Amino acid sequence: SISPKLEKIANNDPDVYLRKIDIVNWKTPVVKQYSIRSVPNIRVFNTRGIMIGQPTSDINMVKAYIRKASQ
């Protein structure tokens, strides 16, 4: 599971915030708003709320997006 790796990143970096959404109903507004079609669906946003990169489930891409978001 990727969740423990994400939690570790968030716990070790005070500038990283982790939000988890448990999708039970695939017809909810959040699923529609973000066009979520599969899980895990990890997105990185900078402090201005702009998404960095594309949704991914690759921890290495997540780390690269976090570095880019902090620039």
Side-chain angles (χ1 to χ4, degrees), residues 1-70:
S1 171
I2 197 167
S3 185
K5 294 174 186 172
L6 295 172
E7 290 173 7
K8 184 176 180 180
I9 291 170
N11 288 334
N12 291 327
D13 187 335
D15 293 329
V16 173
Y17 297 89
L18 178 63
R19 293 237 172 134
K20 294 182 187 179
I21 300 170
D22 187 16
I23 300 173
V24 177
N25 179 350
W26 285 87
K27 295 180 181 180
T28 62
V30 170
V31 171
K32 291 178 183 178
Q33 177 183 354
Y34 291 100
S35 301
I36 299 172
R37 302 193 195 297
S38 64
V39 290
N41 187 290
I42 303 162
R43 298 167 188 233
V44 175
F45 294 85
N46 67 14
T47 57
R48 292 177 286 155
I50 298 169
M51 189 169 75
I52 305 299
Q54 298 297 316
T56 185
S57 60
D58 180 331
I59 191 67
N60 293 318
M61 290 302 301
V62 170
K63 290 176 181 179
Y65 293 160
I66 291 170
R67 285 190 298 272
K68 187 174 180 181
S70 65

